[in-house]
Amino acid sequence: MSRNTTCPLNRPSQWCLRGTPDLKLQGLDDRILQWCVCRLEAWFAADADEISLKNWDQEHVLTGGHGLMVDGYYPVIQALAQGLDIRLNQRVKKIAHQQKGVTVTIEDGTQYSADACIITVPLGVLKANIIKFEPELPSWKSSAIADLGVGIENKVAMHFDKAFWPNVQVLGMVGPTPKTCGYFLNLHKATGHPVLVFMAAGRFAQDVEKLSDKEAVELVMCHLRKMIPNATEPSQYLVSRWGSDPNSLGSYSCDLVGKPSDVCERFSAPVESVLYFAGEAASAEHSGAVHGAYSSGMDAAEECRRRLLMRKGVPDLVQVGAASEEMADIVAPLQICRT
């Protein structure tokens, strides 16, 4: 396709199609395109008109097949948490920082002091300014937080008495618009349990959050019965609401139309060598993914450790292993999360 001057790269792809009606597909071809747009919106948890065409393809997709955490992520968290002092239900309200360290204040007034702080709260919480920083974050950091988008993808998980659908990984249905394309993940194939999970993203996910659980399931069952008319009612169901959950206020980050391409770099950069930022939004190559959150956390921890050792006067960074034990009493990085 030749470059069209009416379709600048920092504008959404659907705008390009409206500007060039000769590219408009018809019939089944158009419905398949709407399905592809539906899957694109699910990938970024945002509507296509919000996704930057210029920056959307920065992610480095890992090779290999897909796997399902049949027992959830708890076993992973449990393994990583061994030997750590983790305080749950500590809702952070304020982070005071200066060159010599930080003081974190939680909701009940309790304070924790440390040499540095690694902040891994969800991007939606940072954008809502629920945590007060003293002094305020520099403009380059606050603008990075503002420039990053937060998408919403919700799931409606339904457990049935028995499986009545094809033994495939995904059940899908094309439609005239992305919102009419149904998309179900079949957990029965991987776990043996008769469970289907409906995925809703972007504004559609926001609309689902306004419904009661029963209404959300009724809506999803309408989609399912268009594919399988004799589908039975679920015996149990669970509806997520990541957008309105005060501990998340969104699902994961996305690149917005017209925003700078260096926003992730600015978001992940430390502030005054005492505040470090990590999480999926800090990973340019793996944003929106658990492995992106993990790798960015490792990077932030390494950068924090390196700078703290320099501040404490340890010149030979190659000798970190030998120096770690004697430094343990005077170096105390602190990781903050809301979950």
Side-chain angles (χ1 to χ4, degrees):
M1 181 172 61
S2 62
R3 179 175 297 176
N4 191 310
T5 56
T6 64
C7 178
L9 288 178
N10 66 342
R11 296 193 178 187
S13 56
Q14 288 187 338
W15 188 93
C16 300
L17 293 176
R18 289 198 298 269
T20 52
D22 56 303
L23 295 178
K24 175 69 175 177
L25 299 176
Q26 302 295 330
L28 180 60
D29 289 342
D30 180 64
R31 289 172 176 257
I32 293 175
L33 173 63
Q34 300 307 316
W35 163 262
C36 293
V37 174
C38 170
R39 296 303 307 123
L40 177 74
E41 293 178 339
W43 187 265
F44 292 97
D47 281 36
D49 61 359
E50 297 178 319
I51 303 168
S52 170
L53 184 60
K54 182 178 181 181
N55 299 325
W56 76 276
D57 198 20
Q58 295 184 88
E59 181 176 4
H60 173 67
V61 179
L62 300 177
T63 58
H66 290 280
L68 180 69
M69 307 289 291
V70 294
D71 294 321
Y73 279 109
Y74 182 71
V76 178
I77 297 173
Q78 192 176 34
L80 293 174
Q82 289 184 5
L84 300 179
D85 179 11
I86 298 177
R87 315 284 177 92
L88 301 178
N89 299 312
Q90 307 283 301
R91 189 181 297 274
V92 175
K93 300 300 292 184
K94 183 174 70 173
I95 300 177
H97 58 100
Q98 53 185 341
Q99 285 189 335
K100 293 184 178 180
V102 297
T103 300
V104 175
T105 304
I106 63 174
E107 213 166 31
D108 65 2
T110 302
Q111 293 185 331
Y112 298 97
S113 296
D115 293 290
C117 177
I118 302 175
I119 300 168
T120 63
V121 298
L123 177 61
V125 174
L126 289 177
K127 292 176 74 71
N129 295 314
I130 293 175
I131 298 176
K132 182 180 180 181
F133 289 88
E134 291 185 355
E136 293 183 354
L137 294 174
S139 59
W140 60 267
K141 175 64 74 174
S142 58
S143 65
I145 294 173
D147 287 345
L148 278 168
V150 177
I152 300 176
E153 183 178 34
N154 281 314
K155 301 177 182 180
V156 180
M158 302 180 297
H159 185 282
F160 299 88
D161 291 334
K162 63 178 182 179
F164 49 80
W165 52 87
N167 188 32
V168 293
Q169 290 184 345
V170 174
L171 281 76
M173 179 182 68
V174 298
T177 67
K179 301 298 177 290
T180 58
C181 296
Y183 172 71
F184 292 84
L185 178 64
N186 175 22
L187 295 190
H188 183 260
K189 185 176 179 64
T191 68
H193 299 293
V195 175
L196 290 176
V197 181
F198 181 81
M199 323 285 269
R203 297 187 187 98
F204 185 31
Q206 296 176 18
D207 293 339
V208 170
E209 293 201 11
K210 299 174 184 177
L211 304 175
S212 67
D213 285 3
K214 182 179 179 181
E215 291 171 333
V217 171
E218 289 174 352
L219 174 64
V220 170
M221 288 301 298
C222 286
H223 278 275
L224 183 59
R225 289 197 172 105
K226 290 178 182 178
M227 292 185 281
I228 307 176
N230 62 344
T232 61
E233 290 292 324
S235 56
Q236 294 176 296
Y237 49 80
L238 185 65
V239 181
S240 69
R241 288 181 172 81
W242 292 113
S244 54
D245 187 329
N247 294 319
S248 60
L249 298 179
S251 298
Y252 43 85
S253 63
C254 61
D255 288 305
L256 297 178
V257 175
K259 299 302 181 181
S261 58
D262 68 339
V263 60
C264 182
E265 181 181 352
R266 286 184 286 124
F267 177 75
S268 60
V271 174
E272 296 181 352
S273 296
V274 291
L275 297 181
Y276 298 82
F277 292 78
E280 56 82 19
S283 175
E285 293 189 341
H286 306 295
S287 61
V290 173
H291 54 276
Y294 176 79
S295 61
S296 75
M298 295 294 289
D299 291 342
E302 170 59 21
E303 181 70 5
C304 175
R305 181 200 61 80
R306 186 183 65 82
R307 295 196 182 200
L308 284 179
L309 289 176
M310 291 180 63
R311 190 197 307 173
K312 300 297 181 180
V314 179
D316 188 359
L317 297 183
V318 179
Q319 303 298 322
V320 167
S324 59
E325 292 186 3
E326 63 185 58
M327 294 298 296
D329 294 334
I330 58 175
V331 177
L334 179 67
Q335 182 179 22
I336 304 297
C337 68
R338 293 178 64 85
T339 55

